[in-house]
Amino acid sequence: MSRSLSRAVMGRVVAVSLVVAGGGALVVTAVPSVDRTVPQTFGVEPPAPVVACPGPQTVPVGDVGSGGDLASEPTIRTINAYSPGTQRVAGDGTAMDAIIGAQVERVVDGDIAGWTALTCSAPAAEQWLVGGSTALGSSARLVLTNPSAAPSEVTVTLYGPLGKIDDTFVVPVAASSQVDRLIESVAASQSSLVVHVAATGPGVSAALQDSRLDGFQPAGTSWVGPSAAGEKLFIPGVGLDGHDATVTLRLMAPDGAHVDAKLVSQRGVEPWSTGNGITLEPGVVTDLAVPVSVLGAIEITSDAPVFAAARTVMTRVADEGLEGDVAADATWVPAVAISPDMQVAVVPSSDARIAAYSPYSTTVIVADIDGSTITTDSVGARTVQWIDLDVPAGTVVTIEGDVAWSVVMKGETGFVASLMPMRPSDSALEATVVPQPYPPLP
């Protein structure tokens, strides 16, 4: 039997030849059929957790002096990264082998003077960043960090006040490295932005540095982290208790939506709302001024998935320049959906506090990573409550229950920063394999 014929026979029937004394006989026995198209499910251990921080802010438009009045480059700054896991270098950023991490930076002078904090994010294939501007005096610097051992290619799509911007661009990000791009070099004069990041391979961690100037004075620098879309969202911690502040709400629905927004404070629901709601055209980024003078939260209800975030700006007397000059600092807080899952955050400063919101009356228990209670506080239905924290910088805190919360830092000298908790996911994964026949040869 030729080799080709043998293969043809074996694909269908197994032949067994028996030689019997006194004669020969061939007995052919068919193998029982096996259903080879039954799906099979396997348990897959989750990958080792890793998150990445973007590292220090940069002056986006060059240096016009490193000393004296109105110098652009900072002369005094501190930056710290915190995580319960091992830290390693990833370009100019920091990779952390842990489920959570955070960075905090204080820049005392120069164009980017301010106080910023950010929860380090895990690499992802898709991320949406709600914040930033490329209008006159503004810069939006996109930072892409790849803490993994494989390269990634990132496609960046921008949305502005007129909708989706055609100038999509692609950025390769090598393994264990970081790249950044100034959005104003691609899409200038955009008063409001939403950035969509789509990555191949292991994905990337994305963050947007939003820096602004008012003449020669800093007008606020902050990090914008990833947001998630939803139809019932909450923005915890807009405005500042005891300080005058201005708040801007940013909305964008990829497929369009009809949205209603309400403001709540420590007193309950405030008079401001969007009335009968606002209609969002597909991909159009919309900013709304929010008249809030105290700490509050924003409730967002939509008939289709929408992205949202709020920017709080706090002014202060300028340290340099002419008498009467005003400087400012700012922070972005993204909208989140409420779920009973545990949320985790790193407290980056010993004087940080939690801004907690709940649609129901509840008791908020703040615990450390081992489950030991740090503090307990009550939150009334549809109100916002400050929760004081007396813990060292770098402490990991957790909250469970139907609460939207953020970690807020404010300084008496007019600096403000905030960061959001995250929901860690370390459950086992499942993979289902469905056998299929080879396609016929052409």
Side-chain angles (χ1 to χ4, degrees):
M1 183 181 294
S2 69
R3 181 173 298 178
S4 60
L5 179 61
S6 174
R7 287 177 177 172
V9 172
M10 290 179 64
R12 295 173 176 81
V13 178
V14 175
V16 180
S17 177
L18 299 179
V19 179
V20 182
L26 181 65
V27 179
V28 179
T29 304
V31 175
S33 63
V34 178
D35 187 354
R36 299 184 182 277
T37 63
V38 175
Q40 300 182 54
T41 300
F42 303 90
V44 180
E45 288 297 318
V50 61
V51 295
C53 280
Q57 305 169 86
T58 65
V59 176
V61 196
D63 181 13
V64 294
S66 57
D69 288 351
L70 305 178
S72 65
E73 192 71 23
T75 60
I76 305 173
R77 79 160 83 199
T78 58
I79 181 170
N80 293 292
Y82 301 100
S83 176
T86 303
Q87 299 186 21
R88 50 191 169 86
V89 174
D92 291 331
T94 303
M96 304 167 179
D97 298 316
I99 62 170
I100 188 72
Q103 76 170 40
V104 59
E105 184 175 11
R106 180 70 175 266
V107 179
V108 175
D109 57 355
D111 288 355
I112 57 172
W115 201 4
T116 63
L118 181 70
T119 296
C120 306
S121 61
E126 185 177 37
Q127 293 162 89
W128 293 81
L129 307 174
V130 182
S133 169
T134 61
L136 183 64
S138 302
S139 172
R141 172 178 166 253
L142 177 64
V143 182
L144 305 170
T145 308
N146 180 5
S148 307
S152 180
E153 186 176 79
V154 179
T155 301
V156 180
T157 306
L158 307 174
Y159 297 80
L162 298 180
K164 183 179 177 180
I165 300 171
D166 293 334
D167 295 321
T168 297
F169 59 96
V170 177
V171 183
V173 187
S176 301
S177 70
Q178 182 183 89
V179 298
D180 63 0
R181 292 290 185 273
L182 291 177
I183 301 300
E184 56 264 33
S185 67
V186 178
S189 302
Q190 302 292 322
S191 60
S192 52
L193 284 172
V194 170
V195 181
H196 179 217
V197 174
T200 63
V204 297
S205 300
L208 190 73
Q209 179 187 333
D210 177 22
S211 302
R212 310 191 188 193
L213 283 174
D214 182 6
F216 290 101
Q217 296 294 345
T221 297
S222 55
W223 285 109
V224 178
S227 295
E231 297 178 11
K232 188 69 173 178
L233 299 172
F234 306 91
I235 304 178
V238 300
L240 291 167
D241 191 27
H243 290 269
D244 290 335
T246 58
V247 176
T248 301
L249 170 64
R250 180 163 299 180
L251 300 165
M252 195 280 282
D255 300 318
H258 187 75
V259 177
D260 181 53
K262 289 182 170 60
L263 172 67
V264 300
S265 70
Q266 292 167 297
R267 299 185 295 264
V269 180
E270 296 286 344
W272 177 84
S273 74
T274 55
N276 293 324
I278 179 172
T279 299
L280 302 177
E281 297 298 327
V284 173
V285 182
T286 301
D287 283 356
L288 300 173
V290 182
V292 58
S293 58
V294 295
L295 175 74
I298 298 175
E299 305 174 347
I300 299 169
T301 305
S302 173
D303 62 359
V306 63
F307 292 95
R311 182 176 185 255
T312 295
V313 180
M314 185 169 68
T315 59
R316 67 181 188 277
V317 176
D319 296 326
E320 298 176 331
L322 301 176
E323 183 177 355
D325 281 357
V326 174
D329 198 14
T331 187
W332 282 97
V333 177
V336 295
I338 286 182
S339 80
D341 297 336
M342 181 181 71
Q343 300 176 71
V344 182
V346 177
V347 179
S349 172
S350 58
D351 55 0
R353 297 198 290 173
I354 287 175
Y357 163 87
S358 177
Y360 323 106
S361 295
T362 187
T363 298
V364 175
I365 301 174
V366 182
D368 63 19
I369 194 65
D370 297 320
S372 301
T373 298
I374 294 173
T375 186
T376 302
D377 214 328
S378 298
V379 178
R382 301 183 77 183
T383 64
V384 175
Q385 180 65 39
W386 280 117
I387 300 177
D388 292 319
L389 296 173
D390 184 15
V391 295
T395 301
V396 179
V397 298
T398 67
I399 293 179
E400 291 187 56
D402 296 323
V403 180
W405 55 286
S406 61
V407 179
V408 181
M409 304 178 296
K410 62 175 183 176
E412 296 299 327
T413 56
F415 291 91
V416 60
S418 63
L419 56 76
M420 296 299 294
M422 62 170 291
R423 295 182 176 91
S425 177
D426 57 358
S427 58
L429 307 176
E430 286 188 349
T432 300
V433 178
V434 181
Q436 296 291 339
Y438 282 110
L441 294 175

